[in-house]
Amino acid sequence: MSDSLAILSRHPYFVGLPPNILTAIRSRVITKRYKKGAVIYAEGEASAGLYLVESGTVRIYKGSADGREQD
């Protein structure tokens, strides 16, 4: 992350937290880059944590039993 502390402090989940708490959260940040079209997380998988998008876009959808996808 370019400046993970600044990014965290602007995110709605973390706005208003004191700097020491933000610093503690930042120490646990793991930065990953994904190629376009990569699957980051699939429904039913155990979550590895909280995912925050620093830049770019992510498509979130739910698949139905008949194979359709709903964004």
Side-chain angles (χ1 to χ4, degrees), residues 17-56:
L17 290 178
N20 63 320
I21 301 296
L22 287 172
T23 300
I25 293 169
R26 180 183 63 179
S27 72
R28 309 240 1 205
V29 169
I30 299 170
T31 301
K32 293 186 178 183
R33 294 180 184 269
Y34 296 92
K35 292 183 179 182
K36 183 176 182 175
V39 175
I40 298 169
Y41 173 81
E43 182 179 3
E45 290 181 352
S47 175
L50 174 66
Y51 297 88
L52 301 175
V53 178
E54 178 182 357
S55 65

Side-chain angles (χ1 to χ4, degrees), residues 9 11 14-18 22:
S9 68
H11 192 281
F14 306 114
V15 165
L17 290 178
L22 287 172

